[in-house]
Amino acid sequence: MPETALLEIDNAERVFGGGRTLFGRALPAVHAVQGVSLDVRKGETLGVVGESGCGKSTLARLIVGLDRPTAGRITFDGRDLVADARRDPRALARRVQYVFQDPVASLNPRKTIRAILEAPLRHLLGLDRSGREARLGELMEAVNLAPEFLDRYPHEFSGGQAQRIGIARALAADPELIVLDEPVSALDVSVQAQVLNILDGLKTRFGLTYVFISHDLSVVESVSDRVAVMYFGRVAEIGPAREIFAAPRHPYTHLLLKSAPVPGKRSLIPEDANTELPDPYNPPPGCAFHARCPRGTDICLAKHPALERVSGAAAHEAACHHPVDEGGHVRA
Amino acid sequence: MSDTAAAGSAGRMHKPRKRGRPSTLRLLFNNTLATTGLAVLVAIVLAALAAPLLPLPDPDVTAPADRLLRPLAEGHLLGTDALGRDILSRLIWGTRVSLAVGLSATLIAAFFGSLIGLVAGYAGGRVDTFLMRGVDMVMAFPYILLALAIVAALGPGLINALYAIAVINIPFFARNIRGITIGLSRREFVDAARLSGKSSAAILFGEVLPNVLPVIIITMSTTIGWMILETAGLSFLGLGAQPPQADLGSMLGDGRKILFTAPHVSIIPGLMIFALVMSINLFGDGVRDVLDPRLKSGALTRPVARTAVAQEREAEPRRHSGSVLDVVGLNTQFHIGGDIYRAVGGVDLHLKPGECLGIVGESGSGKSVTAMSLMGLVPTPPGRITAGSAWLEEEDLFSVDDERIRQLRGADVSHVFQDPLSTLHPLFTIGDQLTEAIMAHRPMRRSQADEKAEELLRLVRITNPAERLKVYPHELSGGMRQRVCIAMALANDAKVIIADEPTTALDVTVQAQILSLLDALRRESNAAILFITHDFGVVSAVCDRVAVMYAGRIVETGETEVVLARPAHPYTGKLIDCVPVLGQPGRRLDAIEGRPPVVNNLPAGCAFAARCERAEADCREGDIPLAAFGEGRAVRCLHPLKGEAADA
Ligand SMILES: Nc1ncnc2c1ncn2[C@@H]1O[C@H](COP(=O)(O)OP(=O)(O)OP(=O)(O)O)[C@@H](O)[C@H]1O
Ligand code: SF4
Ligand code: SF4
Ligand SMILES: [Mg+2]
């Protein structure tokens, strides 16, 4: 695998709210993303998993320039992405694109598919009429839709077809990196497989790099080369997909894997464990997972664990003072 | 997987939907009041437009000799006014003026108001604050006072009155449109347009505006009547139309002084104002009603409290003695437009006490309608139960009276839904809601009910129950809320709990706990659970048996482990093959080609035939029965899989 990082995120932070009122009272602030550092290598799929509200979508929006970090650096192909996004958002949109969770909501109900797909061709690539027409044909072919669909409106499509149009829109400008934010979560299982297969084919065909965000562990496992597990706005564990799923080191990853329903497996989790997430307006000191962690000790409360390399073949890092032993396999 | 082939079928599917939903125009004409309004309005507008062509005397020529003639006088159909001018002529010309002024004022107010609303709503932040505070300032003045002040500053005259009316109506548009724009600007398609390289102006006017336009039109149609009235008011006060020009308000003003000697001079323009404003408002309301999307889907046709059961339905005898719930041949249909959607087309299922049966299937396969039919929770219209019986022990739920259903709901049979917030009332504490649920079925003292509520919370493993009784639903996490809903379902010793995707909205770790909880509770209380889900992993976790639904019917049923390990129906096999399984990342995902048939147009024979690789000629004719297939197992297929892989 080539080791060049296409996207580097260094200590990114995004705080919502905060500031002060006219009278100087501090307003509540939420750290949606905090001290996140990770890189995405050219040609790989980085999976990002985590539960609702852990900052996955905020991170995604930072990467495509729809939102700006309040601290930290994001570099894309060696250049400062945040500055680029501000100066020339179109230049960034040519290289980094986004696929939304809700396929229907991401298509304007009053535009034809042609109008939706032509927008990036016109505004990002500046293609003329015949150029656009040719590219539209290619795009529809790439996502396996009949060209007749171009003159229909979004409400005439099923969820899976609508999501393929969303993918075609992202592909239109021929980007290098595509951020997929829960691209199959709104779809039926039978349709989910279609979309996953199409995404897989496009990646090889166009040499794409994916950041694939999902709360569904089995989907992430099936698509990712490397995986980052997020909890409460931070990266809890990151490493090669195979290692993370076979030998998770962070107690939270451990819990996630144990909780995921698997066909053919009866439930095992004790039903009264604490599942409360910490209050985002009033985060606890130290490790955010402490209240739910079976391995927590005093040091976890006192000191926030840094993301550190745990022994393993390739770079496998976990943010934990007492990582689970390597032998601690989830699936016995 | 290709939809190149599906293109034709998608096109066909589109048409019935159009036929099924009443068209906008037809809806409008069904509304008698709106049609009457429209007819009156059209007549008035035509008369006003035709004014120059009609053989009318000059409206401004005075004839002192003919003053104050009564209606039906020679040559003056509606009589004359104090200066001897023909009232009919003045009325028609005046209506023309009033209409023109009202319409122009509406257009001006709509244009500037919508522009302010769009920009404020889209830009947000300081721009929004600045614009909306300006709008608030305009609204802070009493309405008519502001209009008077503007006219006073500009001087009287029709055009100035028009400006005044337009200005005071701008805030109304600005606020309405801003609200809609804020909602739309947060939608994903706006982000998508931004990533397509569109500029803010292009997004605002090219993406947001087309979606706001219906609202602007609705607002215009409901305000234009008021604007005409307001203009008339200013003219009545002598600040609008100046003599000799006629408009409805000034005619009314002229007649005021002689109201008792010659009432027709003021009554006639008064009636015209009434007819004009009334017709516009009736028509405007009609337009609003048809453009409102909630109305189109039939939300205003109030459903009755219990699903209608067709008269011709015949009760089916029980099949499984010893079962707590025995559903036989259930058919539920939706009648929409001229179409009949067979959402549930003959479902049999049964539950023993303490047993958990899973119903799996794709979206639209009829899982929820099956579950909701049992206690009559399917909305009527359009839904109705057309055949079958649901035996709760010795009672057929479709035969008992409404009072009995009310007693059973929430007691013997209770529900847990996907979204706990739809079950819990936001304004009452958890304790209030639990005690109410208890006391609704069993009269007891409040203190006793409180104790029972505390016990229920402890039962669903909520720590510190006494304190939790005092909190409101929004103060709890999603998982906690779902526990409360489960507690409520258990409040009256339910025999059957119907759980419709109870964990779909929850995070995996929370889901795992809720599943374990349900599993333990059914063993403790011996309640049977009908568990609806689309996830085979969830089924494995809690269900003893599973029934797979496709296009409104059960296609396979049996013990969970057996069905999952060796599916017999090709659809079950395919469905299992297309989900990624944790721990098997290398597994090839097999998508199912095509999509399920629409239930208003089911093919003859097997509903899955179009997508089935094992289909043969005999699959496409006749009714395929759910046939026994080994011990406790049944399959609706002529060529079932026998242990080999689904795509062999
Ligand atoms: N109120 C209604 N009016 C008209 N049609 C309805 C109504 N409710 C459901 N239907 C139709 O009945 C059929 C079955 O719907 P149902 O809600 O039972 O599916 P489901 O299996 O529960 O799907 P999901 O997994 O999406 O919840 C669908 O074709 C649906 O469009
Ligand atoms: S740092 Fe401590 S509390 Fe946090 S996950 Fe590791 S062991 Fe648990
Ligand atoms: S009956 Fe025929 S078409 Fe239907 S599932 Fe069985 S083999 Fe396929
Ligand atoms: Mg449902």
PDB file of all heavy atoms in Angstrom, chain B residues 366-377:
ATOM      1  N   GLY B 366     -45.430  -4.742   4.438  1.00  0.00           N
ATOM      2  CA  GLY B 366     -46.686  -4.924   5.154  1.00  0.00           C
ATOM      3  C   GLY B 366     -46.521  -5.340   6.604  1.00  0.00           C
ATOM      4  O   GLY B 366     -47.489  -5.703   7.252  1.00  0.00           O
ATOM      5  N   LYS B 367     -45.312  -5.267   7.128  1.00  0.00           N
ATOM      6  CA  LYS B 367     -45.080  -5.655   8.521  1.00  0.00           C
ATOM      7  C   LYS B 367     -45.890  -4.785   9.474  1.00  0.00           C
ATOM      8  O   LYS B 367     -46.619  -5.284  10.326  1.00  0.00           O
ATOM      9  CB  LYS B 367     -43.587  -5.500   8.882  1.00  0.00           C
ATOM     10  CG  LYS B 367     -42.620  -6.150   7.919  1.00  0.00           C
ATOM     11  CD  LYS B 367     -41.178  -6.012   8.398  1.00  0.00           C
ATOM     12  CE  LYS B 367     -40.619  -4.614   8.381  1.00  0.00           C
ATOM     13  NZ  LYS B 367     -40.359  -4.085   7.048  1.00  0.00           N
ATOM     14  N   SER B 368     -45.760  -3.467   9.310  1.00  0.00           N
ATOM     15  CA  SER B 368     -46.438  -2.576  10.254  1.00  0.00           C
ATOM     16  C   SER B 368     -47.943  -2.647  10.110  1.00  0.00           C
ATOM     17  O   SER B 368     -48.656  -2.608  11.109  1.00  0.00           O
ATOM     18  CB  SER B 368     -45.977  -1.133  10.043  1.00  0.00           C
ATOM     19  OG  SER B 368     -44.611  -1.030  10.275  1.00  0.00           O
ATOM     20  N   VAL B 369     -48.420  -2.742   8.884  1.00  0.00           N
ATOM     21  CA  VAL B 369     -49.873  -2.790   8.699  1.00  0.00           C
ATOM     22  C   VAL B 369     -50.441  -4.052   9.338  1.00  0.00           C
ATOM     23  O   VAL B 369     -51.485  -4.029   9.974  1.00  0.00           O
ATOM     24  CB  VAL B 369     -50.238  -2.690   7.205  1.00  0.00           C
ATOM     25  CG1 VAL B 369     -51.730  -2.848   7.017  1.00  0.00           C
ATOM     26  CG2 VAL B 369     -49.794  -1.356   6.638  1.00  0.00           C
ATOM     27  N   THR B 370     -49.726  -5.174   9.221  1.00  0.00           N
ATOM     28  CA  THR B 370     -50.150  -6.395   9.891  1.00  0.00           C
ATOM     29  C   THR B 370     -50.300  -6.151  11.386  1.00  0.00           C
ATOM     30  O   THR B 370     -51.331  -6.456  11.987  1.00  0.00           O
ATOM     31  CB  THR B 370     -49.112  -7.517   9.668  1.00  0.00           C
ATOM     32  OG1 THR B 370     -48.964  -7.719   8.272  1.00  0.00           O
ATOM     33  CG2 THR B 370     -49.533  -8.804  10.333  1.00  0.00           C
ATOM     34  N   ALA B 371     -49.269  -5.567  11.963  1.00  0.00           N
ATOM     35  CA  ALA B 371     -49.267  -5.362  13.414  1.00  0.00           C
ATOM     36  C   ALA B 371     -50.350  -4.381  13.831  1.00  0.00           C
ATOM     37  O   ALA B 371     -51.041  -4.600  14.828  1.00  0.00           O
ATOM     38  CB  ALA B 371     -47.899  -4.854  13.855  1.00  0.00           C
ATOM     39  N   MET B 372     -50.526  -3.322  13.058  1.00  0.00           N
ATOM     40  CA  MET B 372     -51.479  -2.295  13.461  1.00  0.00           C
ATOM     41  C   MET B 372     -52.918  -2.746  13.246  1.00  0.00           C
ATOM     42  O   MET B 372     -53.823  -2.265  13.913  1.00  0.00           O
ATOM     43  CB  MET B 372     -51.208  -1.000  12.712  1.00  0.00           C
ATOM     44  CG  MET B 372     -49.894  -0.362  13.142  1.00  0.00           C
ATOM     45  SD  MET B 372     -49.750   1.336  12.624  1.00  0.00           S
ATOM     46  CE  MET B 372     -49.922   1.174  10.868  1.00  0.00           C
ATOM     47  N   SER B 373     -53.121  -3.668  12.310  1.00  0.00           N
ATOM     48  CA  SER B 373     -54.479  -4.151  12.059  1.00  0.00           C
ATOM     49  C   SER B 373     -55.055  -4.830  13.304  1.00  0.00           C
ATOM     50  O   SER B 373     -56.248  -4.738  13.568  1.00  0.00           O
ATOM     51  CB  SER B 373     -54.482  -5.156  10.909  1.00  0.00           C
ATOM     52  OG  SER B 373     -54.032  -4.563   9.729  1.00  0.00           O
ATOM     53  N   LEU B 374     -54.201  -5.514  14.070  1.00  0.00           N
ATOM     54  CA  LEU B 374     -54.700  -6.339  15.167  1.00  0.00           C
ATOM     55  C   LEU B 374     -55.564  -5.548  16.140  1.00  0.00           C
ATOM     56  O   LEU B 374     -56.640  -5.979  16.509  1.00  0.00           O
ATOM     57  CB  LEU B 374     -53.526  -7.002  15.907  1.00  0.00           C
ATOM     58  CG  LEU B 374     -52.618  -7.864  15.029  1.00  0.00           C
ATOM     59  CD1 LEU B 374     -51.528  -8.497  15.869  1.00  0.00           C
ATOM     60  CD2 LEU B 374     -53.434  -8.927  14.311  1.00  0.00           C
ATOM     61  N   MET B 375     -55.064  -4.360  16.550  1.00  0.00           N
ATOM     62  CA  MET B 375     -55.845  -3.568  17.495  1.00  0.00           C
ATOM     63  C   MET B 375     -56.597  -2.439  16.800  1.00  0.00           C
ATOM     64  O   MET B 375     -56.994  -1.472  17.436  1.00  0.00           O
ATOM     65  CB  MET B 375     -54.935  -3.002  18.591  1.00  0.00           C
ATOM     66  CG  MET B 375     -54.300  -4.043  19.473  1.00  0.00           C
ATOM     67  SD  MET B 375     -55.489  -5.249  20.098  1.00  0.00           S
ATOM     68  CE  MET B 375     -56.298  -4.304  21.365  1.00  0.00           C
ATOM     69  N   GLY B 376     -56.756  -2.525  15.481  1.00  0.00           N
ATOM     70  CA  GLY B 376     -57.517  -1.510  14.760  1.00  0.00           C
ATOM     71  C   GLY B 376     -56.822  -0.163  14.718  1.00  0.00           C
ATOM     72  O   GLY B 376     -57.476   0.874  14.829  1.00  0.00           O
ATOM     73  N   LEU B 377     -55.507  -0.157  14.566  1.00  0.00           N
ATOM     74  CA  LEU B 377     -54.776   1.109  14.555  1.00  0.00           C
ATOM     75  C   LEU B 377     -54.445   1.597  13.147  1.00  0.00           C
ATOM     76  O   LEU B 377     -53.805   2.618  12.975  1.00  0.00           O
ATOM     77  CB  LEU B 377     -53.471   0.969  15.358  1.00  0.00           C
ATOM     78  CG  LEU B 377     -53.640   0.708  16.849  1.00  0.00           C
ATOM     79  CD1 LEU B 377     -52.281   0.530  17.515  1.00  0.00           C
ATOM     80  CD2 LEU B 377     -54.394   1.850  17.512  1.00  0.00           C
TER      81      LEU B 377
END
